[in-house]
Amino acid sequence: MIAAQVRIAIAIDGPASSGKGTVARFVAARLGYSYVDTGALYRGVGLLMLRAGLDPTDAGAATRVALGARFDFEWREGSLRLKIDGVDETGSIRGEDVGRAASAVAVHPGVRSALLQAQRDLAARGGVVMDGRDIGTVVLPNAQLKIYLDASLEERARRRHAEAPGVPLDAVRQQLEARDRQDSGRETAPLRLADDAEFVDTTGRSVEEVVQQVLALARDRGA
Ligand code: DC
């Protein structure tokens, strides 16, 4: 008997620079699924806060910004673009300052609940690979496959340093440690390994090796 293929939901969580974005994008492309980068939504809120001169630790202001903004993902020439209120902001959300603001606004329960339904809607039809911090635990608790991607702090710092060599390696390591503390230590939806997630360590492994491992797990789940 040949098992029918189904379009499953794949949740990929993990700390900053664990490789989840790259792996998620490749896995989605191979399966013909859509890829959703949920960190981009938190970065979008962080960006709007910084632009408005607001303090990202201000829960009320951050919640109002998250509730008031319209986020749309679009695929263009093979890359995922984020539009905020109709304006393409893909190039504006990647900086370290925006990442820090994203991590700060992500602490507020009001911000998280403002973004929750939009994330669920994006996954509603299945055939999706979604990456973030709380996808397997909160956003898609029924995802057919949950992956927790990790790598040693040293390796994550090296990867990030290679992308932005202007910042000394030591400083990059400290920024990552601070981000880990904030994302894993917060009260609402902290980064943690879901009980039913597969733990995948990417330290010392190539992207292709990890992608193949995730694809094999996805096929086991019927993808
Ligand atoms: O994945 P990233 O580094 O682009 O995410 C930026 C920040 O957004 C991250 O430090 C914490 C927050 N985030 C979150 O709290 N929950 C998610 N599902 C995704 C990101």
Side-chain angles (χ1 to χ4, degrees), residues 6-12 33-38 41 71 73 75 80 115-132 134-136 138-146:
V6 285
R7 291 173 65 77
I8 67 171
I10 302 176
I12 303 188
Y33 284 13
S34 53
Y35 163 56
V36 179
D37 166 15
T38 64
L41 300 173
F71 296 101
F73 284 110
W75 274 99
L80 185 69
L115 300 179
L116 184 60
Q117 196 54 48
Q119 295 173 78
R120 289 191 174 150
D121 290 347
L122 287 162
R125 281 183 297 147
V128 68
V129 183
M130 187 172 270
D131 84 20
D134 62 337
I135 309 307
V138 175
V139 179
L140 304 177
N142 298 321
Q144 289 88 343
L145 175 59
K146 300 179 185 179

Coordinates of all heavy atoms in Angstrom, one line a residue, residues 6-12 33-38 41 71 73 75 80 115-132 134-136 138-146:
V6 N 0.5 14.0 2.9 CA -0.3 15.1 3.4 C 0.6 16.3 3.6 O 1.8 16.2 3.7 CB -0.9 14.7 4.8 CG1 -2.1 13.7 4.6 CG2 0.1 14.1 5.7
R7 N -0.1 17.5 3.6 CA 0.7 18.7 3.7 C 0.6 19.1 5.2 O -0.4 19.6 5.7 CB 0.0 19.8 2.8 CG 0.3 19.5 1.4 CD -0.4 20.5 0.5 NE 0.0 21.8 0.6 CZ 1.2 22.3 0.0 NH1 2.0 21.5 -0.6 NH2 1.5 23.6 0.2
I8 N 1.7 18.8 5.9 CA 1.8 18.9 7.3 C 2.3 20.3 7.7 O 2.7 21.1 6.9 CB 2.7 17.8 8.0 CG1 4.2 18.0 7.5 CG2 2.2 16.4 7.6 CD1 5.1 17.1 8.3
A9 N 2.2 20.6 9.0 CA 2.8 21.8 9.6 C 4.0 21.4 10.3 O 4.0 20.4 11.1 CB 1.8 22.5 10.5
I10 N 5.1 22.1 10.0 CA 6.4 21.8 10.7 C 6.8 23.1 11.5 O 6.9 24.2 11.0 CB 7.5 21.5 9.6 CG1 7.1 20.3 8.8 CG2 8.8 21.3 10.3 CD1 8.0 20.0 7.6
A11 N 7.0 22.9 12.8 CA 7.4 24.0 13.7 C 8.9 23.8 14.0 O 9.4 22.7 14.3 CB 6.6 23.9 15.0
I12 N 9.6 24.9 13.8 CA 11.1 24.9 14.1 C 11.4 26.0 15.0 O 11.3 27.2 14.7 CB 11.9 25.0 12.8 CG1 11.6 23.9 11.8 CG2 13.4 25.0 13.1 CD1 12.5 23.8 10.6
Y33 N 6.4 23.8 0.3 CA 5.6 24.4 1.4 C 5.9 25.9 1.5 O 6.9 26.3 0.9 CB 6.0 23.8 2.7 CG 5.4 22.4 3.0 CD1 4.9 21.6 2.0 CD2 5.5 21.8 4.3 CE1 4.4 20.3 2.3 CE2 5.0 20.6 4.6 CZ 4.4 19.8 3.6 OH 4.0 18.6 3.8
S34 N 5.1 26.6 2.2 CA 5.4 28.0 2.4 C 6.3 28.1 3.7 O 6.2 27.2 4.6 CB 4.2 28.9 2.5 OG 3.3 28.4 3.4
Y35 N 7.1 29.1 3.8 CA 8.0 29.4 4.9 C 7.5 30.6 5.6 O 7.3 31.6 5.0 CB 9.4 29.5 4.4 CG 10.3 30.1 5.5 CD1 10.4 29.6 6.7 CD2 11.0 31.3 5.2 CE1 11.2 30.2 7.7 CE2 11.8 31.9 6.2 CZ 11.9 31.3 7.4 OH 12.7 31.9 8.4
V36 N 7.3 30.6 6.9 CA 6.9 31.7 7.7 C 8.0 32.0 8.8 O 8.2 31.2 9.6 CB 5.5 31.6 8.3 CG1 5.2 32.8 9.1 CG2 4.5 31.3 7.2
D37 N 8.6 33.2 8.7 CA 9.6 33.6 9.7 C 8.9 34.5 10.7 O 8.7 35.7 10.5 CB 10.6 34.4 8.9 CG 11.6 35.2 9.7 OD1 11.6 35.0 11.0 OD2 12.2 36.1 9.2
T38 N 8.5 33.9 11.8 CA 7.7 34.6 12.8 C 8.5 35.7 13.5 O 8.0 36.7 14.0 CB 7.0 33.7 13.9 OG1 8.1 33.1 14.6 CG2 6.1 32.7 13.2
L41 N 7.9 39.2 12.4 CA 6.8 40.0 13.0 C 7.2 40.8 14.2 O 6.9 41.9 14.4 CB 5.6 39.0 13.3 CG 5.1 38.3 12.1 CD1 4.0 37.2 12.6 CD2 4.4 39.2 11.1
F71 N 0.6 43.3 9.0 CA 1.8 42.6 8.5 C 1.4 41.7 7.3 O 0.4 40.9 7.4 CB 2.4 41.7 9.6 CG 3.0 42.5 10.7 CD1 2.3 42.7 11.9 CD2 4.2 43.2 10.6 CE1 2.8 43.4 13.0 CE2 4.7 44.0 11.7 CZ 4.0 44.1 12.8
F73 N 3.2 38.9 4.5 CA 4.4 38.2 3.9 C 4.1 38.0 2.4 O 3.0 37.7 2.0 CB 4.6 36.8 4.5 CG 5.2 36.9 5.9 CD1 4.5 36.5 7.0 CD2 6.6 37.3 6.1 CE1 5.1 36.6 8.3 CE2 7.1 37.3 7.3 CZ 6.4 37.0 8.4
W75 N 6.2 36.4 -1.3 CA 7.4 35.8 -1.9 C 7.7 36.6 -3.2 O 6.9 36.8 -4.0 CB 7.1 34.4 -2.3 CG 7.3 33.5 -1.1 CD1 6.4 33.0 -0.3 CD2 8.6 33.0 -0.7 NE1 7.0 32.2 0.7 CE2 8.4 32.2 0.5 CE3 9.9 33.2 -1.1 CZ2 9.4 31.6 1.2 CZ3 10.9 32.6 -0.4 CH2 10.7 31.8 0.7
L80 N 11.6 35.8 0.9 CA 10.4 36.2 1.7 C 10.5 37.6 2.0 O 11.5 38.1 2.6 CB 10.4 35.3 2.9 CG 9.2 35.5 3.8 CD1 7.9 34.9 3.2 CD2 9.4 34.8 5.2
L115 N -0.1 39.1 18.0 CA 0.5 38.4 16.8 C 0.1 37.0 16.6 O 0.4 36.4 15.6 CB 2.1 38.5 16.8 CG 2.7 39.9 16.9 CD1 4.2 39.9 17.0 CD2 2.3 40.7 15.6
L116 N -0.5 36.4 17.6 CA -0.8 35.0 17.6 C -1.7 34.5 16.5 O -1.4 33.6 15.7 CB -1.4 34.6 19.0 CG -1.7 33.1 19.2 CD1 -0.4 32.3 19.1 CD2 -2.3 32.9 20.6
Q117 N -2.9 35.2 16.3 CA -3.9 34.8 15.4 C -3.3 34.9 13.9 O -3.5 34.0 13.1 CB -5.2 35.6 15.5 CG -6.4 34.9 14.8 CD -6.6 33.5 15.2 OE1 -6.6 33.1 16.4 NE2 -6.7 32.5 14.2
A118 N -2.5 36.0 13.7 CA -2.0 36.1 12.3 C -1.1 34.9 12.0 O -1.1 34.4 10.9 CB -1.2 37.4 12.3
Q119 N -0.3 34.5 13.0 CA 0.6 33.3 12.8 C -0.2 32.0 12.5 O 0.1 31.3 11.6 CB 1.5 33.1 14.0 CG 2.5 34.3 14.2 CD 3.3 34.1 15.5 OE1 4.2 33.4 15.6 NE2 2.8 34.9 16.5
R120 N -1.3 31.9 13.3 CA -2.1 30.7 13.1 C -2.8 30.7 11.8 O -2.9 29.7 11.1 CB -3.1 30.6 14.2 CG -2.5 30.2 15.5 CD -3.5 29.8 16.6 NE -2.7 29.3 17.8 CZ -3.1 29.4 19.0 NH1 -4.3 30.0 19.3 NH2 -2.4 29.0 20.0
D121 N -3.2 31.9 11.3 CA -3.9 32.0 10.0 C -2.9 31.6 8.9 O -3.3 30.9 7.9 CB -4.4 33.4 9.8 CG -5.6 33.8 10.7 OD1 -6.2 32.9 11.3 OD2 -5.9 35.0 10.7
L122 N -1.7 32.0 9.1 CA -0.7 31.7 8.0 C -0.4 30.2 7.9 O 0.0 29.7 6.9 CB 0.7 32.4 8.3 CG 0.7 33.9 8.1 CD1 1.8 34.6 8.8 CD2 0.7 34.2 6.6
A123 N -0.7 29.4 9.0 CA -0.5 28.0 9.0 C -1.8 27.2 8.8 O -1.7 26.0 8.7 CB 0.1 27.6 10.3
A124 N -2.9 27.9 8.6 CA -4.2 27.2 8.7 C -4.4 26.1 7.6 O -5.0 25.1 7.8 CB -5.3 28.2 8.6
R125 N -3.8 26.4 6.4 CA -4.0 25.4 5.3 C -3.0 24.3 5.3 O -3.0 23.5 4.3 CB -4.1 26.2 4.0 CG -5.4 26.8 3.8 CD -5.5 27.5 2.5 NE -4.5 28.6 2.4 CZ -3.9 29.0 1.3 NH1 -4.2 28.4 0.1 NH2 -3.1 29.9 1.3
G126 N -2.1 24.2 6.3 CA -1.0 23.2 6.3 C 0.0 23.5 5.2 O 0.0 24.6 4.6
G127 N 1.0 22.6 5.0 CA 2.0 22.8 4.0 C 2.8 24.0 4.4 O 3.1 24.9 3.6
V128 N 3.2 24.1 5.7 CA 4.0 25.3 6.1 C 5.1 24.9 7.0 O 5.1 23.9 7.8 CB 3.0 26.2 6.9 CG1 2.5 25.6 8.2 CG2 3.6 27.6 7.2
V129 N 6.2 25.6 6.9 CA 7.3 25.5 7.8 C 7.4 26.8 8.5 O 7.6 27.8 7.9 CB 8.7 25.2 7.1 CG1 9.8 25.0 8.1 CG2 8.6 23.9 6.2
M130 N 7.2 26.8 9.8 CA 7.2 28.1 10.6 C 8.3 28.1 11.6 O 8.5 27.1 12.3 CB 5.8 28.2 11.2 CG 5.6 29.5 11.9 SD 3.9 29.6 12.5 CE 3.0 30.3 11.1
D131 N 9.1 29.1 11.6 CA 10.2 29.1 12.6 C 10.0 30.3 13.6 O 9.4 31.3 13.3 CB 11.6 29.1 12.0 CG 12.1 30.4 11.6 OD1 11.7 31.5 12.1 OD2 13.0 30.4 10.7
G132 N 10.5 30.1 14.8 CA 10.4 31.1 15.9 C 11.0 30.6 17.2 O 12.0 29.9 17.3
D134 N 8.4 29.9 20.0 CA 7.2 29.3 20.7 C 6.3 28.6 19.7 O 5.1 28.5 20.0 CB 6.5 30.3 21.5 CG 5.9 31.4 20.6 OD1 6.3 31.6 19.5 OD2 4.9 32.0 21.0
I135 N 6.8 28.2 18.6 CA 5.9 27.7 17.5 C 5.3 26.3 18.0 O 4.1 26.1 18.0 CB 6.6 27.6 16.1 CG1 7.2 28.9 15.8 CG2 5.5 27.1 15.1 CD1 6.3 30.1 15.8
G136 N 6.2 25.4 18.4 CA 5.8 24.1 18.8 C 5.0 24.1 20.2 O 4.2 23.2 20.4
V138 N 3.3 27.0 21.6 CA 2.1 27.8 21.8 C 1.4 28.1 20.5 O 0.2 27.9 20.4 CB 2.6 29.2 22.3 CG1 1.4 30.2 22.4 CG2 3.2 29.1 23.7
V139 N 2.1 28.4 19.4 CA 1.4 28.9 18.2 C 0.8 27.7 17.5 O -0.4 27.7 17.1 CB 2.4 29.6 17.2 CG1 1.7 30.0 15.9 CG2 3.0 30.8 17.9
L140 N 1.6 26.6 17.3 CA 1.0 25.4 16.6 C 1.2 24.2 17.5 O 2.0 23.3 17.1 CB 1.7 25.2 15.2 CG 1.7 26.4 14.3 CD1 2.5 26.0 13.0 CD2 0.2 26.7 13.9
P141 N 0.5 24.1 18.6 CA 0.8 22.9 19.5 C 0.4 21.6 18.8 O 0.9 20.6 19.3 CB -0.1 23.2 20.7 CG -1.1 24.2 20.2 CD -0.5 25.0 19.1
N142 N -0.4 21.6 17.7 CA -0.7 20.4 17.1 C 0.1 20.1 15.8 O -0.2 19.3 15.0 CB -2.2 20.3 16.7 CG -3.1 20.4 18.0 OD1 -2.7 19.8 19.0 ND2 -4.1 21.2 17.9
A143 N 1.2 20.9 15.6 CA 2.0 20.6 14.4 C 2.5 19.2 14.4 O 2.8 18.6 15.4 CB 3.3 21.5 14.5
Q144 N 2.4 18.6 13.2 CA 2.8 17.2 13.1 C 4.2 16.9 13.3 O 4.6 15.8 13.7 CB 2.4 16.7 11.7 CG 0.9 16.5 11.4 CD 0.3 17.8 10.9 OE1 0.8 18.9 11.0 NE2 -0.9 17.7 10.3
L145 N 5.1 17.9 13.1 CA 6.5 17.7 13.3 C 7.0 19.0 14.0 O 6.8 20.1 13.6 CB 7.3 17.5 12.0 CG 8.8 17.5 12.1 CD1 9.3 16.3 13.1 CD2 9.5 17.3 10.8
K146 N 7.7 18.8 15.2 CA 8.3 19.9 15.9 C 9.8 19.6 16.0 O 10.2 18.5 16.5 CB 7.7 20.0 17.3 CG 6.2 20.2 17.3 CD 5.7 20.3 18.7 CE 4.1 20.4 18.7 NZ 3.6 20.4 20.1

